[in-house]
Amino acid sequence: MNRRDLLKGFAVVPAAAAQQYEARTRGLAPLTIKSAKVITTSAGGNYRWIFLKIMTSEDGLYGIGSANNNYQAYAVVEALDKHLIPFLIGKNPDQIEDLWQSGHLRTYWRNGPVNNCVLSAMDMALWDIKGKRAGMPVYELLGGKVRDAVPCYDHAAGNDVEAAVAAVQKSMANGYRHVRVQFGAYGGGGFIPAGQASRPEGGSTGRVFDEEVYVDTVARMLEQVRAKLGPEPKLCHDVHSHLTGMNAVEFCRRLQPLQMYFVEDVLAPEQIDWYAHIRRICTTPQAVGEVFTHPYEYVPLITGRLIDFVRCRVAAIGGITPAKRLAGLCDYFGVKTAFQEGGENDPVNQMAAYHVDISSPAFGIQEENGFPAAAREVLPGCGEIRKGYLYGSGRPGLGLDINETLAAKYPWKPVQRGGMYGLDRTVDGAVVRP
Ligand code: MG
């Protein structure tokens, strides 16, 4: 190579590099929200799923979010359609925090299950858009992965001890290290069968719930599961708010020797001050907050170190933005997250939790949720659980899409009794908190 060629070579490389640098630092064109629509679907099952799709001024750039609320589904759809969407049109989708704050204050009366789900749908869709815009999964924008995958706890249940033990063994064989074990359905172990016990004249003759029966029966069941399976399974149990006051304290005291991974919602959200009493007498770890919809339900429990895991559903507290804020608070106080997944929950909400879980140092565990084949076709790219670990698709944004044609093929099934959550009652006919 002569001197002239050598200089030419030097000149070419820096120019190309400079061009690449210029392209990398040019920034992105301004973006606006052009339109948005509500998509509802049963996804070929009994689901009442609600999604929001936000379209931007850039062709093909849109985001999807979950407004999952099985029990107030129509109210959420109307709130999205009539109140949120008109507020969103023309806004800058990059300003997620500002849109969350103004979207939150826009209703004047705020928080609660309907408002939060509406905000959640917007928030998740905006993070989805931002991730696609950046060409990165949302967790990269939250700081990147701090773990290789998201461990989940499995659901095991049996109507007797042998069945419960077998169910936990099955979960372990499927790769789960954490298993929640129940005596049948929620409240199981605490039911007095139909026709038994002295009843009020003209009252219910059906199955009724009894707190003291629950405390004794479930504690005995868990003792036997632990005795049969040894220390390996990280056992959880969900009381589903079925206990009050000292019965909740006594239940946790009974479980003290079993080294539970956690006991969930021994008390209803209206009775959270009792957690201080549980702390004084035992170290049974407390997972709390599946039905929380206001920060001041969880903030004092976390800052007081009165609980060990916070159990909120991401959609129920308003989306990824408040979930990452909650995880940050947990991090400072040594409390962990265990975001909730119910059987009626959807893959978009699951992926929102995944992106926070995998990027958060305060993560503890994630509740599992699997979806049938038809639902996975409606939402291509949804998460997968393999051997007890949840994986995302790795694609930019939330990592999953919605097939609107398929979604429309599966409308909601007719709703019975207003779509209410089924409630248990005591022997005298009073309602039990779920
Ligand atoms: Mg629960």
Side-chain angles (χ1 to χ4, degrees), residues 19-78:
Q19 217 171 29
Q20 278 174 2
Y21 181 80
E22 208 280 322
R24 284 280 178 200
T25 55
R26 192 180 301 136
L28 300 166
L31 202 62
T32 51
I33 296 174
K34 291 304 270 189
S35 62
K37 64 174 154 183
V38 182
I39 301 166
T40 61
T41 182
S42 70
N46 285 316
Y47 299 116
R48 286 198 282 275
W49 286 348
I50 308 162
F51 303 108
L52 181 71
K53 183 171 178 176
I54 298 179
M55 275 66 70
T56 71
S57 49
E58 191 180 310
D59 264 358
L61 179 59
Y62 59 83
I64 55 172
S66 161
N68 195 304
N69 183 329
N70 201 51
Y71 310 107
Q72 302 244 63
Y74 292 108
V76 170
V77 168
E78 285 294 294

Side-chain angles (χ1 to χ4, degrees), residues 297-321:
E297 290 168 316
Y298 50 76
V299 168
L301 292 174
I302 293 165
T303 57
R305 296 189 173 89
L306 298 175
I307 61 170
D308 304 277
F309 297 87
V310 69
R311 283 281 296 139
C312 302
R313 176 185 291 198
V314 174
I317 59 169
I320 290 170
T321 297

Side-chain angles (χ1 to χ4, degrees), residues 175-196:
Y176 286 93
R177 300 173 66 238
H178 305 74
V179 186
R180 190 197 74 180
V181 55
Q182 303 292 123
F183 235 167
Y186 295 125
F191 292 114
I192 298 172
Q196 291 184 19

Side-chain angles (χ1 to χ4, degrees), residues 78-338:
E78 285 294 294
L80 283 167
D81 209 34
K82 302 290 199 311
H83 298 295
L84 182 83
I85 290 175
F87 156 84
L88 279 179
I89 304 304
K91 297 282 197 314
N92 177 356
D94 275 335
Q95 295 181 332
I96 300 178
E97 184 69 47
D98 180 72
L99 284 173
W100 196 93
Q101 296 295 341
S102 50
H104 178 59
L105 300 173
R106 135 199 88 88
T107 55
Y108 190 57
W109 286 279
R110 41 203 183 261
N111 299 296
V114 173
N115 283 347
N116 284 357
C117 288
V118 166
L119 268 184
S120 155
M122 173 197 80
D123 183 77
M124 290 177 193
L126 294 177
W127 279 103
D128 193 26
I129 290 167
K130 197 180 276 294
K132 287 171 180 168
R133 197 153 147 80
M136 293 179 187
V138 168
Y139 63 73
E140 296 290 7
L141 306 176
L142 301 180
K145 284 185 181 181
V146 297
R147 55 185 49 79
D148 301 321
V150 170
C152 297
Y153 74 81
D154 200 12
H155 301 125
N159 290 322
D160 55 47
V161 172
E162 286 66 37
V165 167
V168 176
Q169 285 172 319
K170 189 178 166 202
S171 294
M172 292 168 75
N174 286 334
Y176 286 93
R177 300 173 66 238
H178 305 74
V179 186
R180 190 197 74 180
V181 55
Q182 303 292 123
F183 235 167
Y186 295 125
F191 292 114
I192 298 172
Q196 291 184 19
S198 177
R199 311 246 177 170
E201 292 167 12
S204 161
T205 54
R207 187 186 79 164
V208 290
F209 181 77
D210 185 282
E211 287 194 39
E212 288 75 23
V213 171
Y214 186 92
V215 169
D216 189 55
T217 312
V218 176
R220 283 176 198 274
M221 180 272 285
L222 290 168
E223 282 161 16
Q224 291 176 77
V225 169
R226 181 58 92 202
K228 292 200 173 169
L229 296 176
E232 188 185 343
K234 294 178 191 292
L235 295 176
C236 310
H237 177 77
D238 188 358
V239 178
H240 226 252
S241 306
H242 273 54
L243 297 178
T244 58
M246 271 302 173
N247 275 328
V249 180
E250 171 62 3
F251 183 67
C252 296
R253 189 194 67 80
R254 286 278 298 268
L255 303 191
Q256 168 82 52
L258 307 183
Q259 205 185 357
M260 300 290 290
Y261 185 73
F262 67 58
V263 177
E264 179 181 351
D265 286 336
V266 287
L267 292 151
E270 295 84 357
Q271 295 297 335
I272 54 179
D273 288 349
W274 280 94
Y275 284 105
H277 298 275
I278 295 175
R279 269 293 197 260
R280 280 187 207 112
I281 65 132
C282 73
T283 60
T284 298
Q286 301 298 315
V288 179
E290 173 165 327
V291 292
F292 285 172
T293 57
H294 195 295
Y296 284 93
E297 290 168 316
Y298 50 76
V299 168
L301 292 174
I302 293 165
T303 57
R305 296 189 173 89
L306 298 175
I307 61 170
D308 304 277
F309 297 87
V310 69
R311 283 281 296 139
C312 302
R313 176 185 291 198
V314 174
I317 59 169
I320 290 170
T321 297
K324 75 182 170 79
R325 212 156 24 232
L326 170 58
L329 180 72
C330 286
D331 185 28
Y332 278 114
F333 287 89
V335 173
K336 294 173 181 173
T337 63

